[in-house]
Amino acid sequence: MSLEKILPSLRCPVNGDELERRGDMLISASGREYPIVHGIPVLLSNTDDPTLWVVKASYEAARKNPEDPYQADTVAVLPHELPALKERLRRAGEEKVDPVISFLIIATNGYLYGDLVGTLQEVPIPQIRLPQGEGLLLDIGCSWGRWSVAAARKGYSVVGIDPSLGGVLAAQRLTRKLGLDVTFVVGTALRLPFASGTFDHIYSNSVLQHFSYENAELAVREAAKVSKKDASLLMQMPNKFGIRCLYHQARRGFSSGTGFDVRYYSPGNLRNLFSSSFGPSELSIDGFFGLGIQASDRKFLPLSKRLVVDASESLRGVSRALPGLLNVADSLYVNSRRAA
């Protein structure tokens, strides 16, 4: 799906105005201007209250330095990793894996990838837990595009959105290299810049867990607003009673968390939040012993971490006979249906 096809559904993130394209800018009816950088609309407001610093960085970079093809200063890597990332980007054409993807891997895929930051030899694309399908799917918090790719391979028309301009540019490079028609937008889950009733499906993984509880609820309501009646939603969320989740909560004294910290939810909290903000909701198990553990990642990992993946998958299998294991799984999916 090209930008021109999604353009009629794009909206000003501040007041919901329709947008008109004029060259490399999108202009709202009230005169607000949003740049298009390398074909990607940057629909951010300088009044946002961001969870991530990359919102402000992306907002400024899109206006001050739109020619930069990588926008490394807007990539959500740790400060001490940025010089190495920039050095690798200078010789990006020689790399087997896009350096931005290689450096973002632990942020998007979880702690099992800690030893692989900056060293990937192949892009790890997971198997998305959606049926073969069709219709327009929004991937909230797409980062470098792994779930957007997975959804596109299942037949969905995909729009990925993320506040990191550098991450989204990496996603664009990846999908073009793979020959997939995916559209990307720079924006936030708290101000989804789309018309009401745009999407048939909503997907998100490892995103809302970093929001305050209030902002997570707001993001789910935003997802409902841009969804069609009877749209489906699948979102990964952490379970406060999961084994490793309990360990992490104990390390911080069971505080609720601040900034980009993970917030933890009970299964009952998740059902209530999504049922009230989106529609009827059920839970399913994503994995055990951590967040983001996927069977498709196994081949990339050393033996000790493969055993973690195997144990998680084994327990997922056992849970078919013992559904109560859901209550101690670390990572859950919320499956919701948009209320009519």
Side-chain angles (χ1 to χ4, degrees), residues 15-333:
N15 57 19
D17 281 354
E18 293 186 9
L19 299 170
E20 177 186 353
R21 182 169 187 173
R22 299 178 193 169
D24 285 332
M25 298 293 290
L26 294 176
I27 313 295
S28 74
S30 55
R32 290 184 171 87
E33 298 181 346
Y34 300 96
I36 301 171
V37 177
H38 299 290
I40 296 172
V42 181
L43 297 176
L44 296 172
S45 165
N46 62 356
T47 61
D48 282 336
D49 178 18
T51 298
L52 268 177
W53 59 267
V54 295
V55 175
K56 181 178 180 181
S58 296
Y59 176 88
E60 294 179 350
R63 287 159 175 78
K64 296 178 181 179
N65 189 26
E67 296 83 12
D68 183 350
Y70 298 112
Q71 300 289 350
D73 289 318
T74 72
V75 175
V77 297
L78 295 173
H80 72 270
E81 295 173 338
L82 186 57
L85 171 60
K86 288 184 175 181
E87 177 59 33
R88 294 281 288 277
L89 285 171
R90 292 189 185 97
R91 47 189 173 86
E94 305 169 14
E95 301 283 335
K96 288 185 177 180
V97 172
D98 191 305
V100 172
I101 296 175
S102 190
F103 276 79
L104 279 176
I105 199 68
I106 190 172
T108 58
N109 290 44
Y111 77 97
L112 292 186
Y113 274 85
D115 297 331
L116 300 180
V117 173
T119 66
L120 280 180
Q121 299 299 303
E122 182 182 342
V123 178
I125 301 299
Q127 292 294 321
I128 195 167
R129 294 201 175 106
L130 289 172
Q132 198 72 24
E134 58 184 9
L136 190 58
L137 179 145
L138 177 63
D139 178 11
I140 296 176
C142 65
S143 187
W144 56 265
R146 62 178 181 145
W147 295 108
S148 295
V149 170
R153 287 176 169 175
K154 280 288 187 78
Y156 298 92
S157 297
V158 180
V159 177
I161 186 169
D162 195 275
S164 169
L165 176 56
V168 167
L169 286 168
Q172 183 187 68
R173 292 193 294 273
L174 175 63
T175 53
R176 286 179 174 175
K177 183 177 181 179
L178 296 175
L180 297 171
D181 185 14
V182 179
T183 299
F184 293 102
V185 174
V186 175
T188 76
L190 302 181
R191 295 175 182 262
L192 290 175
F194 306 102
S196 297
T198 296
F199 294 96
D200 302 286
H201 311 280
I202 303 290
Y203 182 83
S204 187
N205 194 295
S206 301
V207 177
L208 267 64
Q209 63 195 34
H210 294 293
F211 290 13
S212 69
Y213 298 111
E214 296 78 12
N215 280 348
E217 181 178 3
L218 173 58
V220 178
R221 292 190 183 281
E222 282 287 292
K225 182 184 73 176
V226 302
S227 297
K228 295 178 181 177
K229 293 180 180 179
D230 202 39
S232 69
L233 173 146
L234 186 65
M235 282 194 181
Q236 177 273 336
M237 296 291 283
N239 176 13
K240 70 187 299 181
F241 302 126
I243 298 168
R244 191 168 178 84
C245 288
L246 283 169
Y247 165 74
H248 283 297
Q249 290 172 89
R251 287 184 64 192
R252 70 185 196 199
F254 291 94
S255 66
S256 59
T258 59
F260 201 61
D261 290 342
V262 173
R263 275 65 166 189
Y264 297 91
Y265 296 77
S266 71
N269 291 154
L270 290 175
R271 291 188 186 95
N272 291 337
L273 167 61
F274 283 83
S275 293
S276 62
S277 300
F278 194 91
S281 301
E282 298 177 349
L283 304 181
S284 60
I285 295 173
D286 177 38
F288 295 82
F289 310 119
L291 305 177
I293 295 173
Q294 302 294 319
S296 54
D297 292 344
R298 189 181 187 279
K299 67 178 181 178
F300 299 98
L301 302 172
L303 177 60
S304 60
K305 293 180 178 179
R306 289 181 185 181
L307 294 175
V308 176
V309 175
D310 292 344
S312 176
E313 287 300 297
S314 294
L315 283 174
R316 279 208 323 121
V318 171
S319 70
R320 298 186 185 97
L322 298 173
L325 284 175
L326 181 143
N327 294 306
V328 294
D330 287 276
S331 184
L332 300 175
Y333 268 120

